[in-house]
Amino acid sequence: MKKDLHPKYNPVVFVDMTTGTRFVTRSTKSSEKKEVIDGVEHSVVSMGITSDSHPFFTGKAQFVDTEGRIDKFQKRFGAVRRVGKPTV
């Protein structure tokens, strides 16, 4: 097996910047900011959006049809009908 083939795997804390939720895990990602948790030094990585704040996972997702895409689709393809199988 080759030496130094795999990246270094470190203990990391991912922090959601909007909610402050912390995810303690391990990753190849690291940072200069460190924090000791249960006697182990973890790198602290700030995340803009995580499963704790993403609208899909929180259930606060809203469907917004800003350009009338559904209406545009219906105008374009709504009148198109499928033709039955051709007879031979």
Side-chain angles (χ1 to χ4, degrees), residues 68-80:
R69 292 180 186 158
I70 295 171
D71 294 331
K72 191 187 295 186
F73 179 85
Q74 290 297 338
K75 284 180 189 176
R76 197 172 198 187
F77 299 106
V80 176

Side-chain angles (χ1 to χ4, degrees), residues 46-88:
S46 297
M47 304 292 292
I49 193 160
T50 64
S51 61
D52 192 51
S53 60
H54 193 281
F56 179 80
F57 296 107
T58 60
K60 296 179 183 175
Q62 296 179 2
F63 177 73
V64 179
D65 187 18
T66 57
E67 298 178 14
R69 292 180 186 158
I70 295 171
D71 294 331
K72 191 187 295 186
F73 179 85
Q74 290 297 338
K75 284 180 189 176
R76 197 172 198 187
F77 299 106
V80 176
R81 302 275 186 236
R82 288 190 175 168
V83 180
K85 290 184 179 179
T87 56
V88 179

